[in-house]
Amino acid sequence: MRVDGAVRLTAAELGAPLGERATLVQFSTSFCQPCRATRRTLAEVAGMVRGVAHVEVDAESSLELVRRLEVSRTPTVLVLDASGRVVRRAAGQPRKADVIAALGEAV
């Protein structure tokens, strides 16, 4: 969904509730090695910051969403604000410091 030119995602689209303050959305595939490390990093950051949720989406079983968001590689990480608006996006394995900095834009 686009509102005011921005992409917004809902809990229904992600298959999990959004975080109270922000949501870290990770698109992964089963064969993706960097996805495992990304999962650990995002879960750790979400555990450190109150109101932040980590949602992992299986890209292979969510092809419509992958196409709509133009996800071309895994892992791809989206940072959503409390309303589900995408405020940051990155492909590849993120560093913890970069994830924390990106969260600053969302909360």
Side-chain angles (χ1 to χ4, degrees):
M1 171 190 301
R2 285 190 181 270
V3 179
D4 301 330
V7 174
R8 291 188 191 276
L9 298 174
T10 65
E13 289 172 307
L14 296 175
L18 297 177
E20 180 182 309
R21 297 176 66 206
T23 306
L24 301 170
V25 179
Q26 174 184 350
F27 285 88
S28 300
T29 53
S30 59
F31 56 83
C32 167
Q33 267 307 58
C35 293
R36 292 183 185 98
T38 298
R39 180 182 309 120
R40 285 190 298 275
T41 299
L42 297 183
E44 187 176 333
V45 171
M48 292 169 36
V49 184
R50 186 186 59 75
V52 175
H54 170 223
V55 176
E56 189 167 4
V57 176
D58 177 25
E60 295 167 301
S61 62
S62 302
L63 290 177
E64 183 178 320
L65 189 58
V66 164
R67 287 185 188 110
R68 185 165 65 86
L69 296 171
E70 299 176 355
V71 173
S72 59
R73 64 183 276 212
T74 57
T76 290
V77 177
L78 307 178
V79 179
L80 312 181
D81 66 11
S83 69
R85 181 175 59 96
V86 177
V87 295
R88 287 291 295 269
R89 174 188 180 125
Q93 184 178 334
R95 296 178 332 170
K96 187 193 302 188
D98 294 334
V99 175
I100 292 169
L103 270 178
E105 292 182 40
V107 295

